[in-house]
Amino acid sequence: MVDKEIWAEALNLAKDQLRHGKVHFSELEGVTKSIYDKLISLSCGPVIDIEPEPMKQIEAPQHVKTKKGVRCAECGEEFKVLGSKHLKTHDLTREEYMKKHGVAKKDMSIKIARKTLTGEDNPLKQMQMIMKEFGIKRGDVTQFVLNNGFDDMKSLAAAAKEKNVGILELLKAVDEAKETKANNK
């Protein structure tokens, strides 16, 4: 039995295609039947043949210590040191947190690698070399560096590295340039 309402809708859609030149008049009946069949199948709704996925168990955050940090068992955030400042946001002290989650004190932080400057890259060594070479006191080194046109020890070291010379050679060159300029006046 043909549903007259759906057939009328299919005919209207087929006529629209005819007006727009998408089908020829001789194909009108076949196109209308095709549209009718499609509308009937759509009116029944889609056929879904799938099985629902099993429910996944959501795990609560756990205290985990990795090479990069320590994950808080309360909120899951990661820190280098899980300190009292963060634990205060959970209304816990370090001791309460450690007891609640069975965590040892050594597992509350990771080892932080610190880069220690050695040799001529060490600022204290640089100051010592300047004091010895130019015969000045430690308290006068900063002013000496400023007087030679550098903002501080870091800028002196950066300029020396950029010119691929030592800081003493750079300071001597600046000092010689000053003397040459003074002699030329």
Side-chain angles (χ1 to χ4, degrees):
M1 179 152 174
V2 175
D3 186 331
K4 290 183 181 182
E5 233 178 82
I6 294 177
W7 181 260
E9 183 66 29
L11 183 59
N12 286 335
L13 290 171
K15 285 178 183 177
D16 284 343
Q17 289 186 4
L18 179 67
R19 269 186 237 120
H20 294 292
K22 298 200 177 188
V23 294
H24 190 266
F25 184 76
S26 62
E27 301 170 324
L28 187 60
E29 187 178 351
V31 170
T32 305
K33 185 168 176 11
S34 172
I35 293 172
Y36 174 82
D37 291 340
K38 191 58 121 174
L39 288 173
I40 289 292
S41 71
L42 288 173
S43 68
C44 297
V47 179
I48 300 175
D49 188 25
I50 59 169
E51 287 186 32
E53 269 189 44
M55 294 281 289
K56 291 182 180 176
Q57 195 68 14
I58 299 174
E59 293 182 28
Q62 293 181 338
H63 181 90
V64 179
K65 183 177 179 182
T66 64
K67 288 184 177 182
K68 292 184 178 181
V70 178
R71 188 169 299 123
C72 175
E74 296 290 318
C75 64
E77 286 189 64
E78 199 165 302
F79 303 91
K80 291 186 185 215
V81 176
L82 191 55
S84 55
K85 184 177 179 182
H86 172 72
L87 293 174
K88 204 178 277 185
T89 63
H90 302 301
D91 295 324
L92 293 170
T93 64
R94 277 179 60 102
E95 291 74 26
E96 290 169 341
Y97 176 88
M98 291 184 335
K99 186 176 181 184
K100 181 178 178 180
H101 297 287
V103 177
K105 187 177 181 180
K106 66 181 176 94
D107 293 329
M108 293 293 283
S109 64
I110 60 165
K111 285 188 177 181
I112 301 170
R114 301 190 194 285
K115 185 178 177 184
T116 305
L117 299 174
T118 58
E120 290 190 13
D121 291 336
N122 186 328
L124 293 175
K125 178 71 174 172
Q126 292 171 345
M127 288 180 75
Q128 184 182 29
M129 291 178 350
I130 293 169
M131 290 165 40
K132 186 176 180 181
E133 184 67 33
F134 295 97
I136 55 177
K137 296 179 185 173
R138 182 178 178 143
D140 298 332
V141 171
T142 304
Q143 190 59 48
F144 178 77
V145 170
L146 289 171
N147 291 343
N148 282 294
F150 300 100
D151 296 333
D152 53 16
M153 289 295 291
K154 284 184 180 179
S155 67
L156 170 64
K161 193 170 192 174
E162 185 179 302
K163 294 184 180 185
N164 205 19
V165 296
I167 60 166
L168 295 179
E169 289 82 14
L170 183 58
L171 285 171
K172 285 178 187 175
V174 169
D175 202 32
E176 287 173 11
K178 280 184 179 179
E179 285 181 27
T180 305
K181 191 175 183 180
N183 289 340
N184 289 339
K185 283 187 177 183

